[in-house]
Amino acid sequence: FFQAEDGIRDYKVTGVQTCALPISLPVGLVPDSSDGESIRDRFARFAARTDRIDLSRICRKIMHPNPMIGQGWDQRFLDRLQVEYRIFFTMHAAFPEMWLPASRPLDLFWHEHLLDTRAYFADCEQVAGRYLHHLPYFGMRNEADISLCVAAFQAERQLYLQCVGHEPPRDLWVVECSEDWFRSHRSEEHTSEL
């Protein structure tokens, strides 16, 4: 069962459920290892699939210098971001039980991937065997959500360390945060709309 903004729903209920939160906090913060496969092995198995998806169109769009079309990011930065996005996408596919929030650069890349709906759907199916949902308001809805998001960023960093074997790059991932840090980095423009 999930706690939704309008009450409790069974997981089989269809429809838009992007605002659902798990009722118990520990769920989503620890990878499930009950199948006996190591975290690193599971990550590697899914990473092999992620390596086969084509992100070149997304990169071309993001690099476009016109701000009405792209971000104008240079090739060197985008090469690094694409590597980290593949890690992020793989972690989402391999660890569906985890809440994995995105940093701003990863989130922007993810949005561009999502906007190519047919390719995103096919990529999700190829890598995960299911659609990988996006919750853009994670950490913005209320105080409990902030706490959960901070804990999820911390758990995500630990998962990255276990999967990749080193610290994530600080300019592309949220490596350290607290509830106070999170509150100070929220956009008042967005929180007033929620």
Side-chain angles (χ1 to χ4, degrees):
F1 288 98
F2 291 84
Q3 172 69 45
E5 286 186 359
D6 60 348
I8 300 210
R9 293 186 187 154
D10 186 273
Y11 71 93
K12 294 175 260 181
V13 173
T14 59
V16 177
Q17 297 180 27
T18 59
C19 296
L21 287 173
I23 292 172
S24 58
L25 288 179
V27 173
L29 300 178
V30 179
D32 180 17
S33 58
S34 62
D35 62 2
E37 185 177 30
S38 76
I39 290 170
R40 188 167 272 186
D41 287 346
R42 188 188 325 172
F43 176 81
R45 182 166 48 89
F46 281 85
R49 298 177 202 161
T50 304
D51 288 344
R52 293 192 299 262
I53 64 175
D54 180 11
L55 300 174
S56 61
R57 290 184 309 252
I58 297 166
C59 292
R60 279 196 307 276
K61 184 176 180 196
I62 291 173
M63 285 176 43
H64 200 285
N66 182 334
M68 298 299 285
I69 298 170
Q71 300 291 327
W73 293 344
D74 66 56
Q75 184 70 53
R76 187 168 175 246
F77 177 76
L78 201 52
D79 288 346
R80 291 179 54 240
L81 180 58
Q82 185 180 172
V83 167
E84 298 304 318
Y85 178 73
R86 287 180 187 278
I87 292 168
F88 177 77
F89 193 81
T90 300
M91 287 177 12
H92 264 280
F95 304 98
E97 68 279 7
M98 296 279 298
W99 288 89
L100 300 171
S103 66
R104 188 66 179 146
L106 289 169
D107 192 54
L108 287 170
F109 198 99
W110 194 5
H111 284 214
E112 293 298 335
H113 195 186
L114 283 160
L115 290 173
D116 189 350
T117 57
R118 286 189 172 102
Y120 183 76
F121 186 82
D123 293 343
C124 289
E125 192 62 34
Q126 175 184 326
V127 175
R130 68 186 185 291
Y131 189 83
L132 301 177
H133 290 279
H134 181 299
L135 177 63
Y137 307 112
F138 190 28
M140 297 174 68
R141 294 168 294 184
N142 56 44
E143 288 299 309
D145 199 39
I146 291 172
S147 297
L148 180 59
C149 192
V150 168
F153 271 124
Q154 293 165 349
E156 179 180 63
R157 176 177 170 246
Q158 292 306 312
L159 182 63
Y160 186 104
L161 286 165
Q162 291 175 294
C163 292
V164 183
H166 59 79
E167 286 281 346
R170 292 177 175 272
D171 62 331
L172 299 177
W173 292 79
V174 175
V175 176
E176 295 176 6
C177 70
S178 65
E179 290 181 26
D180 289 337
W181 174 90
F182 198 85
R183 281 186 203 94
S184 71
H185 285 80
R186 288 195 315 182
S187 166
E188 291 303 319
E189 173 186 326
H190 292 324
T191 56
S192 64
E193 297 172 6
L194 300 179

